[in-house]
Amino acid sequence: MAANLPDARRVLAQIVAKIAVIELPQGMWPELVDLLTTATMGENPDWRESGLLTLGFIGEERGEDGQIMDKLSGLVLNAVQTGVTHSFFPQ
């Protein structure tokens, strides 16, 4: 996800989010949100952007039943907040 092309990162983030919306509510891919949160706090700006984009797209998606993933929405929003805070105020 650290492609040099911003358009490629954006499309990849959308694809990962589409898959995540299907798999996360079923308990699959449990490490994804942690992985993306870690990416948002890394040194590589491309990884940070990719992580934030993907988390944002996951937050925007709706599951098959039309409901936002209630169980995961807090986790995703917290990860986005952590990534944004770290991006602007690195420790």
Side-chain angles (χ1 to χ4, degrees):
M1 287 187 46
N4 287 332
L5 303 172
D7 289 342
R9 283 195 300 272
R10 184 173 188 80
V11 169
L12 184 55
Q14 289 172 325
I15 292 169
V16 170
K18 293 281 186 189
I19 295 168
V21 144
I22 294 166
E23 292 191 349
L24 288 173
Q26 296 177 21
M28 301 167 69
W29 214 357
E31 70 280 3
L32 178 64
V33 174
D34 288 340
L35 178 69
L36 293 170
T37 303
T38 300
T40 66
M41 295 185 292
E43 296 297 319
N44 185 320
D46 293 340
W47 280 104
R48 287 196 307 265
E49 179 184 359
S50 295
L52 288 169
L53 277 173
T54 306
L55 288 165
F57 288 134
I58 290 170
E60 289 177 357
E61 287 293 330
R62 296 179 177 272
E64 289 181 10
D65 60 1
Q67 298 294 316
I68 294 177
M69 302 178 301
D70 291 333
K71 204 160 86 172
L72 298 168
S73 61
L75 197 61
V76 170
L77 289 173
N78 191 26
V80 170
Q81 178 185 9
T82 300
V84 169
T85 301
H86 186 79
S87 292
F88 290 106
F89 306 105
Q91 295 178 355

